[in-house]
Amino acid sequence: IHVGICWKGGATSELHLPTPVNVWESRRTPKAVLDRIADLAKHHSDEQIAEILNREQLCSGTGLTFTYLRVARLRVAKRIPSYYDHLRQAGMLTCEEIMKRTGVGRPTICKWRRAGVLRAIRYSRKRWLYDFPAQEILSQHRKRRPAKRPDR
């Protein structure tokens, strides 16, 4: 924007002002922050991402600190894959999928996870994804539990 000013004494001045930014542009989260979220989402949950961004003193477009909900909303709005999505692409399974494939119950899967027998990764506050159990684990489990007898 170019502004010409005529003063009382006859002098003139010319100002060159930048075009004002739209309100929505001024509240937009910077691209560098979105790129950082996309990078962190490969190995961290939304809650962990919020902690890391706050530690790095990065702010949202409105100047607020990050919460896991703000990170999740930004991720969804910008179509950034979540930690869950990355783990699923790597072949990790839900507890329900392992139960269907193996016939093993949820308590046993949780016990294996706690004992370190079954590799599991927590992707949110109370949710886990698992590697498929090794054949030796399944065979040991089947040896210990006798097969159910049909009712007579």
Side-chain angles (χ1 to χ4, degrees), residues 35-86:
D35 291 342
R36 184 74 174 126
I37 291 172
D39 186 46
L40 290 171
K42 295 174 187 170
H43 304 287
H44 299 283
S45 66
D46 291 340
E47 191 172 4
Q48 293 168 331
I49 292 172
E51 289 173 15
I52 293 168
L53 294 175
N54 290 333
R55 223 179 304 128
E56 294 175 359
Q57 297 182 342
L58 296 173
C59 296
S60 68
T62 55
L64 300 172
T65 59
F66 284 97
T67 62
Y68 82 95
L69 196 54
R70 276 195 190 102
V71 171
R73 285 182 179 156
L74 268 173
R75 234 188 359 76
V76 170
K78 300 300 180 183
R79 293 190 172 101
I80 298 171
S82 68
Y83 187 38
Y84 173 85
D85 297 330
H86 288 288

Side-chain angles (χ1 to χ4, degrees), residues 97-109:
E97 290 170 332
I98 292 176
M99 288 167 48
K100 282 181 187 177
R101 289 186 187 183
T102 63
V104 174
R106 181 183 303 273
T108 304
I109 294 171

Side-chain angles (χ1 to χ4, degrees), residues 3-55:
V3 179
I5 303 171
C6 292
W7 301 98
K8 268 187 179 180
T12 60
S13 300
E14 192 172 314
L15 296 173
H16 301 283
L17 302 172
T19 307
V21 213
N22 292 329
V23 173
W24 61 270
E25 286 177 344
S26 68
R27 301 184 84 176
R28 178 183 276 177
T29 301
K31 182 165 176 18
V33 174
L34 293 175
D35 291 342
R36 184 74 174 126
I37 291 172
D39 186 46
L40 290 171
K42 295 174 187 170
H43 304 287
H44 299 283
S45 66
D46 291 340
E47 191 172 4
Q48 293 168 331
I49 292 172
E51 289 173 15
I52 293 168
L53 294 175
N54 290 333
R55 223 179 304 128

